[in-house]
Amino acid sequence: KQEVTQIPAALSVPEGENLVLNCSFTDSAIYNLQWFRQDPGKGLTSLLLIQSSQREQTSGRLNASLDKSSGRSTLYIAASQPGDSATYLCAVRRRDNYGQNFVFGPGTRLSVLP
Amino acid sequence: DVKVTQSSRYLVKRTGEKVFLECVQDMDHENMFWYRQDPGLGLRLIYFSYDVKMKEKGDIPEGYSVSREKKERFSLILESASTNQTSMYLCASSLFRGRYWREGREADTQYFGPGTRLTVL
């Protein structure tokens, strides 16, 4: 059974710092991995999606990497801003009968202090 | 931009009531999903649908049913609401053409609605 964990559960950094969020999954047989952002009381916003054949994806100040063999992904945020404060979730798309199910991690709550 | 809307942001119901949660997407997506999100448990898939009138159970379907009569609309039904169904309910959709997996960022990316916070008293 696929399990996804995220470390740390919460992180607080001063504005301007570069930071790394971690995501681990137990079964390396995945189709892809997606990073989301969730603001309090709101839905999820997709940030980046990495296919299983890829090693990384970049969007602006965000860079996500994937090491399928070790079951790890990292989300790197450069020059953090207070507006980056949110909960960040990763989700892996597992290889089941229809290949459509995502398994989500519990999230990392990020606070960027001005 | 993809837009996924949910019928209510907040809902309060009594135990035993029948509850309908509606989700509508405007981008002709084939796949639609219902999740619930609980502190400490994260997001868990209740049901998903890959086509009109087609549905598949997710990880926690017990106590729920779904309906997809039109491509753009996916409804979650609580036949007899119970207090343990108090939760945040999130709807999502993705393009994903066809029932079987094909690689493609555009096809796989999930777009979420704002969520419905349901309280069952």
Side-chain angles (χ1 to χ4, degrees):
Chain A
K1 182 187 172 186
Q2 180 72 273
E3 292 183 3
V4 180
T5 55
Q6 292 185 246
I7 294 173
L11 182 63
S12 186
V13 300
E15 181 177 3
E17 268 202 15
N18 304 325
L19 58 100
V20 174
L21 307 180
N22 297 291
C23 172
S24 298
F25 46 95
T26 54
D27 186 349
S28 62
I30 63 170
Y31 284 140
N32 56 49
L33 183 146
Q34 194 165 5
W35 281 94
F36 295 88
R37 168 193 173 128
Q38 185 176 30
D39 293 291
K42 303 238 175 119
L44 279 67
T45 300
S46 177
L47 298 173
L48 291 163
L49 186 149
I50 312 176
Q51 300 292 352
S52 61
S53 57
Q54 298 175 316
R55 299 282 297 187
E56 65 180 306
Q57 278 289 324
T58 298
S59 176
R61 293 182 295 109
L62 305 179
N63 176 276
S65 68
L66 175 64
D67 184 345
K68 213 171 58 158
S69 60
S70 67
R72 291 180 184 171
S73 176
T74 61
L75 179 67
Y76 174 83
I77 303 178
S80 58
Q81 303 169 358
D84 294 331
S85 298
T87 296
Y88 291 81
L89 297 97
C90 67
V92 298
R93 184 173 176 184
R94 61 195 191 197
R95 292 180 179 268
D96 55 16
N97 287 343
Y98 306 118
Q100 298 192 41
N101 287 358
F102 282 89
V103 179
F104 284 79
T108 294
R109 192 170 66 252
L110 173 66
S111 297
V112 180
L113 307 173
Chain B
D1 276 356
V2 176
K3 193 167 183 183
V4 181
T5 57
Q6 295 183 228
S7 50
S8 307
R9 290 301 310 277
Y10 301 94
L11 210 52
V12 180
K13 296 292 182 180
R14 296 212 172 269
T15 301
E17 279 193 74
K18 191 168 186 175
V19 182
F20 292 88
L21 303 182
E22 298 263 302
C23 176
V24 178
Q25 50 91 6
D26 67 356
M27 284 300 290
D28 200 33
H29 281 180
E30 293 200 350
N31 293 343
M32 296 188 76
F33 307 81
W34 274 108
Y35 295 91
R36 63 178 283 178
Q37 186 176 30
D38 301 287
L41 295 175
L43 266 84
R44 293 176 293 167
L45 181 66
I46 305 171
Y47 268 97
F48 69 94
S49 168
Y50 52 88
D51 202 351
V52 174
K53 296 191 187 295
M54 305 304 286
K55 61 186 179 185
E56 295 289 342
K57 292 180 180 179
D59 297 312
I60 51 163
E62 296 78 21
Y64 303 94
S65 62
V66 290
S67 171
R68 190 152 180 217
E69 297 296 318
K70 292 185 178 181
K71 192 174 186 179
E72 67 271 19
R73 190 179 298 268
F74 192 34
S75 302
L76 180 69
I77 303 155
L78 287 66
E79 294 289 342
S80 178
S82 62
T83 55
N84 64 12
Q85 292 178 310
T86 291
S87 186
M88 170 72 103
Y89 289 88
L90 292 164
C91 173
S93 72
S94 67
L95 178 60
F96 192 82
R97 300 207 179 282
R99 183 175 178 178
Y100 298 101
W101 175 81
R102 290 182 182 85
E103 186 165 344
R105 275 200 304 281
E106 199 55 45
D108 280 353
T109 299
Q110 289 203 351
Y111 296 88
F112 280 80
T116 295
R117 185 164 294 283
L118 172 66
T119 302
V120 183
L121 302 175

